[in-house]
Amino acid sequence: MHPSLLPAYRGAAPIQTALMNGDTVTGVSVMTIEPKQAMDSGRILLQRTVPVGPYVTHRELSTTLGGVGAAAMVDALADFPRLWAGAWPQPDTQGGTFAPKIRTQGLLCFSKLSAQQVFNRWRGLQDNGGVYAYFRRADD
């Protein structure tokens, strides 16, 4: 189970990336594991969508997706032969995005981001060290 609607947000930080991008819908994907293939690139058995409210944070969305993902896994196992037969491949590149591991927590350049973008960064990074900024006095 992967906490995104693959092929969107393949990688280590799909929940954070969806929030930082201001997505209003995300979800979970139950997929096959393909040895020696790209990360999170297996065939899709089923997907479940989840709306993302404008004030939902990483912690809240992680909890929601965990519950939806667990239920999706139960559904997939209960109907596995049919889902296996109907599994669909992900496109190799079109429509796919990568959600890399979060390495630099939260340094923001306010002059390049809107207030909404700053807020979305906080929503996505609040459990990964949050966000911070350095302020400089005008005479510095």
Side-chain angles (χ1 to χ4, degrees):
M1 193 278 296
H2 186 76
S4 78
L5 296 173
L6 291 169
Y9 304 134
R10 291 178 177 150
I15 300 170
Q16 294 94 329
T17 305
L19 289 167
M20 290 190 299
N21 287 341
D23 290 4
T24 58
V25 175
T26 190
V28 299
S29 300
V30 177
M31 64 181 191
T32 63
I33 302 296
E34 304 294 332
K36 300 181 183 177
Q37 298 296 318
M39 182 185 315
D40 303 324
S41 63
R43 295 182 311 145
I44 304 292
L45 298 172
L46 66 85
Q47 293 183 313
R48 299 284 188 262
T49 60
V50 173
V52 180
Y55 303 106
V56 170
T57 64
H58 177 262
R59 184 172 299 134
E60 295 163 335
L61 188 55
S62 293
T63 299
T64 298
L65 291 173
V68 171
M73 287 297 296
V74 169
D75 292 345
L77 291 172
D79 200 15
F80 188 76
R82 185 184 68 79
L83 292 173
W84 179 262
W88 65 94
Q90 296 182 51
D92 289 335
T93 55
Q94 291 183 323
T97 52
F98 185 61
K101 181 178 179 179
I102 305 295
R103 295 189 188 280
T104 304
Q105 286 93 14
L107 180 60
L108 302 177
C109 183
F110 284 97
S111 64
K112 296 180 181 178
L113 298 172
S114 70
Q116 185 64 54
Q117 289 171 318
V118 170
F119 181 63
N120 288 342
R121 297 296 195 290
W122 174 81
R123 291 170 58 210
L125 296 173
Q126 59 129 354
D127 287 330
N128 292 83
V131 296
Y132 61 92
Y134 294 105
F135 291 94
R136 201 171 52 197
R137 293 190 329 226
D139 59 345
D140 283 345

